[in-house]
Amino acid sequence: MATHKIQYPHIILLAIVCLLFSCKKEHQVTAEKALPVDKEAALSKTLESQKGGQEADIIYVADSLLKVDKSILVAYQEKYRADTCGYAVYGKEKLKKEFAGIKEIGDVNGDGRKDTVFLANPFNYCEQGLSYYFFDASIPRIYTDTYCVGVERFFTVPDIDEDGANEVAFYASSCASRYKWISVYSLQNGEWTEIASVLFDILTQDPEKTNFESLVKKTGKGTFKVCEFSEGKTTWLAFSMK
């Protein structure tokens, strides 16, 4: 009958290898647990740097581009910069190059005074798109979710719901597509609400030859119509405010 000899040296060697691997793995776990502390310190340092950069951006935009008190931008920053998304920093050169200007419009909050609108980049790194802001920081912004908008095609619509404040509308684009859109907003209970959105096909209608203010018309208290251009057709679509 054949017999098998137990190879003790091999078993001992295997046990030593397993022990060494276990110790190494335990050391790695301990090191990994310590990493978040370093990451948190680095993140804190980065946020402080971003915060300082954004403060410099705000001062530059307020003083050199908008020529208003920086408190307007600070108020919007405090309201719309999400704490978990960092401080977006752009720098003077980019801000100056992309500045879209300002536009005086009708009264949009019912205080009897004309308002002024301007565009600004996000205050954080989570949002992707420009927002319309106002010289009166008590008026909430309108976030557009696109970078292809301008102040020249932002306009007021005669008070549709007859609450003492005009509605607003603007022409916007997805940048690459032929299909743009016109959105209409109403300030209700301190927040902007989109009350209409229609297509604007640039192969049907040339935006350079369009009087945008004529495309939104009040038809009665709480009712209005907006002109849509799509696939070679021009259609007036009716809307009612709730």
Side-chain angles (χ1 to χ4, degrees):
M1 179 179 295
T3 59
H4 297 279
K5 293 182 180 180
I6 299 175
Q7 303 295 321
Y8 289 107
H10 291 172
I11 294 175
I12 293 173
L13 180 61
L14 180 61
I16 292 173
V17 171
C18 290
L19 180 62
L20 290 174
F21 179 77
S22 176
C23 291
K24 183 178 180 181
K25 186 175 182 181
E26 182 179 352
H27 175 72
Q28 288 177 339
V29 171
T30 303
E32 288 173 358
K33 288 182 179 179
L35 280 177
V37 177
D38 296 334
K39 287 183 178 179
E40 184 176 349
L43 179 60
S44 178
K45 186 175 181 179
T46 300
L47 285 175
E48 283 302 312
S49 176
Q50 290 178 354
K51 184 178 180 181
Q54 188 168 102
E55 288 175 352
D57 281 354
I58 285 175
I59 292 173
Y60 174 71
V61 171
D63 291 348
S64 302
L65 301 180
L66 298 177
K67 302 186 184 306
V68 297
D69 192 283
K70 72 173 185 177
S71 62
I72 295 174
L73 291 176
V74 170
Y76 279 125
Q77 178 208 40
E78 291 176 350
K79 185 174 182 179
Y80 296 112
R81 190 201 70 80
D83 290 337
T84 57
C85 297
Y87 294 82
V89 179
Y90 302 97
K92 292 182 180 180
E93 184 176 343
K94 179 179 176 64
L95 291 170
K96 183 178 180 180
K97 181 181 179 180
E98 297 181 356
F99 180 57
I102 63 175
K103 183 179 182 180
E104 187 178 83
I105 55 176
D107 177 24
V108 300
N109 62 345
D111 64 359
R113 296 178 293 183
K114 289 185 177 181
D115 293 299
T116 301
V117 66
F118 64 95
L119 280 166
N121 286 300
F123 287 110
N124 60 66
Y125 289 108
C126 291
E127 296 180 345
Q128 295 295 319
L130 301 174
S131 293
Y132 287 107
Y133 293 92
F134 303 85
F135 277 10
D136 181 350
S138 68
I139 303 173
R141 70 170 186 177
I142 300 177
Y143 176 58
T144 69
D145 198 29
T146 179
Y147 286 99
C148 295
V149 288
V151 295
E152 73 280 359
R153 290 170 179 166
F154 184 101
F155 55 96
T156 54
V157 179
D159 189 5
I160 297 173
D161 55 359
E162 300 180 8
D163 65 348
N166 293 315
E167 274 57 60
V168 302
F170 59 87
Y171 168 84
S173 167
S174 58
C175 301
S177 171
R178 63 183 267 195
Y179 298 103
K180 319 304 181 182
W181 65 90
I182 297 175
S183 291
V184 185
Y185 279 77
S186 178
L187 186 58
Q188 300 173 357
N189 300 316
E191 295 294 336
W192 289 107
T193 300
E194 185 178 61
I195 56 176
S197 182
V198 303
L199 283 176
F200 191 107
D201 178 3
I202 61 174
L203 295 187
T204 300
Q205 174 68 22
D206 185 352
E208 299 299 327
K209 300 178 180 179
T210 301
N211 175 13
F212 283 90
E213 294 188 13
S214 68
L215 301 182
V216 184
K217 295 183 178 180
K218 177 180 177 180
T219 56
K221 183 177 181 179
T223 60
F224 63 103
K225 61 182 180 179
V226 186
C227 189
E228 179 176 79
F229 301 100
S230 180
E231 306 296 338
K233 297 180 180 180
T234 300
T235 308
W236 284 92
L237 302 178
F239 295 89
S240 177
M241 295 181 64
K242 296 180 180 179

